[in-house]
Amino acid sequence: MTIRRISSGGEFEAKIGYCRAVVAGGWVHVAGTVGQGDDVTTQCRSALQTIGKALTEAGAGFSDVVRVTYMLPDRSEFEPCWPILREYFGDNPPATSMIECGLIDPKYRIEIEVTAYLPE
């Protein structure tokens, strides 16, 4: 089995020692991804754009995502993200979990992690 690592060049990749995504055994594992912006919806969209770039580089897309985990420090901020999530996943909904937890920096309002299966 070949393992391919995809880097986005994000500041934490080098600091912590991880990569944006790993392609292995037909699967694409995208690391927890935060976005930039002043509010949760802007950060949500930004994170999904970063995830989309990693999926594309891996040879997949949002329609190939089978699992997504949303992590937010305040669960009340999740609902404003729902229209954005429907935009990206609506026709191909993945299995989903939402976890309320602390993130690496208080400025981040959402972190998103996905797993996709490479199309044949």
Side-chain angles (χ1 to χ4, degrees), residues 70-116:
Y70 304 103
M71 295 157 274
L72 295 92
D74 181 352
R75 66 179 173 253
S76 71
E77 292 188 326
F78 189 45
E79 189 171 354
C81 296
W82 293 356
I84 299 165
L85 303 176
R86 277 194 307 274
E87 178 184 328
Y88 280 80
F89 297 111
D91 292 337
N92 302 283
T96 301
S97 298
M98 193 286 291
I99 300 167
E100 184 177 42
C101 62
L103 299 179
I104 197 164
D105 187 309
K107 71 181 178 183
Y108 296 122
R109 308 309 309 150
I110 188 168
E111 183 170 338
I112 304 170
E113 175 184 88
V114 307
T115 303

Side-chain angles (χ1 to χ4, degrees), residues 56-72:
T56 298
E57 188 171 337
F62 283 101
S63 64
D64 302 305
V65 173
V66 297
R67 181 90 175 129
V68 60
T69 302
Y70 304 103
M71 295 157 274
L72 295 92

